[in-house]
Amino acid sequence: MTTSYASSHDVDVAIAGARAGADVVRMLYGLRLARVDKGAGDFATTADIESEKAILDVIRAARPDDAVLGEEGGQRGAAGAARQWLVDPLCGTLNYAVGTMLVAVNVALREGPAAVADPFGGEVFFTDGETAWVRQDGADDAPLRPTPATRLVDVNLDPPFPSAPGFRTVDLLAHPGFTGHFRPRVVSTTLALAWVAAGRRAAYVTDGGDLSGSVHFAAGIALCRAAGCVVTGIDGAPIDETTRGLVAASDAETHELLMSGTRPV
């Protein structure tokens, strides 16, 4: 039986796409999967590729005229299309390949609704572009409420480090302003951004180039913004094509504390 999404709102399409990808990721977990080498120690697995196919099927059925930029398949549709979906079918491939269940499936309409699915936690975090929620089977949708209460901050330690030597994420861990207020965590998946929006982390910090249109970060950034988090580059500037890195903080005070250790010299 084929499900039709043609009359769905964009947020419903994002949720359905993320869930379809999550189903594939969960189904293939623990199997011996083929790998596709991407160079520099990076690779995709059969799960990444099949998850992206499942997400594309949902988007094509609902929005056949929209363009899609996928982590594995690249650009589909007109590059200059008015509407473009950003798809990361398995964020945390290295975790997944060694049997660690810390992964995410990210689907976002550029400058619009987005969804982040946790395939093993059974949750989908989503935003219609204005409000942010979490959905779990058998429970009512709950609003996302960021809070610094945990004092836990996820830091991405993966290369490259384009802001070095002025700033490297690892240097934050030795900064007295950080260690006096926070406790670091490393999960190596952008599921951590959904956790910031949900109040399970106080903040998330990563280095990097332009993340404003990144398939890895678009959905998580959309969630954090809609939930009311403070989201900037590592220099405190708004996220755009000129911004370096990302700081997503639960509130203004947390953001300011992190800024003392992230502004490049």
Side-chain angles (χ1 to χ4, degrees):
M1 178 178 178
T2 302
T3 302
S4 174
Y5 302 100
S7 61
S8 300
H9 296 292
D10 287 330
V11 66
D12 297 321
V13 176
I15 293 169
R19 277 184 155 172
D23 287 345
V24 172
V25 169
R26 191 167 50 252
M27 178 180 65
L28 296 179
Y29 177 75
L31 302 181
R32 185 183 296 274
L33 303 175
R35 298 188 181 189
V36 178
D37 183 24
K38 296 182 177 182
D42 193 15
F43 60 88
T45 70
T46 302
D48 298 72
I49 295 167
E50 293 302 317
S51 173
E52 184 163 305
K53 288 179 180 177
I55 296 166
L56 286 173
D57 285 347
V58 172
I59 295 174
R60 284 170 176 158
R63 304 291 187 266
D65 297 326
D66 289 359
V68 179
L69 178 62
E71 164 71 4
E72 308 309 331
Q75 178 71 34
R76 294 176 175 86
R83 292 165 49 94
Q84 182 188 51
W85 294 84
L86 304 171
V87 173
D88 184 356
L90 177 49
C91 186
T93 300
L94 292 174
N95 288 342
Y96 185 80
V98 297
T100 302
M101 295 181 178
L102 288 172
V103 300
V105 176
N106 299 312
V107 179
L109 179 63
R110 188 186 288 270
E111 303 301 326
V116 176
D118 177 351
F120 301 104
E123 295 176 310
V124 181
F125 305 86
F126 63 94
T127 174
D128 57 6
E130 297 181 359
T131 59
W133 303 77
V134 61
R135 176 175 298 173
Q136 190 164 31
D137 290 340
D140 294 336
D141 293 348
L144 298 184
R145 294 192 174 96
T147 171
T150 67
R151 301 202 304 164
L152 301 177
V153 176
D154 272 305
V155 291
N156 181 12
L157 302 181
D158 290 336
F161 309 112
S163 299
F167 170 76
R168 294 184 307 166
T169 314
V170 68
D171 296 335
L172 187 63
L173 307 184
H175 192 282
F178 181 91
T179 56
H181 292 91
F182 304 113
R183 295 294 179 267
R185 292 293 185 272
V186 180
V187 299
S188 298
T189 168
T190 54
L191 181 61
L193 279 167
W195 290 349
V196 175
R200 302 174 192 177
R201 293 290 191 270
Y204 174 85
V205 181
T206 186
D207 193 4
D210 174 19
L211 304 183
S212 62
S214 166
V215 296
H216 304 291
F217 292 94
I221 288 174
L223 277 175
C224 286
R225 283 174 169 164
C229 300
V230 180
V231 183
T232 70
I234 58 172
D235 58 357
I239 298 292
D240 60 27
E241 64 275 5
T242 66
T243 309
R244 287 184 295 170
L246 171 66
V247 177
S250 56
D251 62 4
E253 182 180 0
T254 299
H255 183 265
E256 184 56 36
L257 287 169
L258 289 170
M259 283 293 96
S260 66
T262 60
R263 287 191 177 96
V265 297

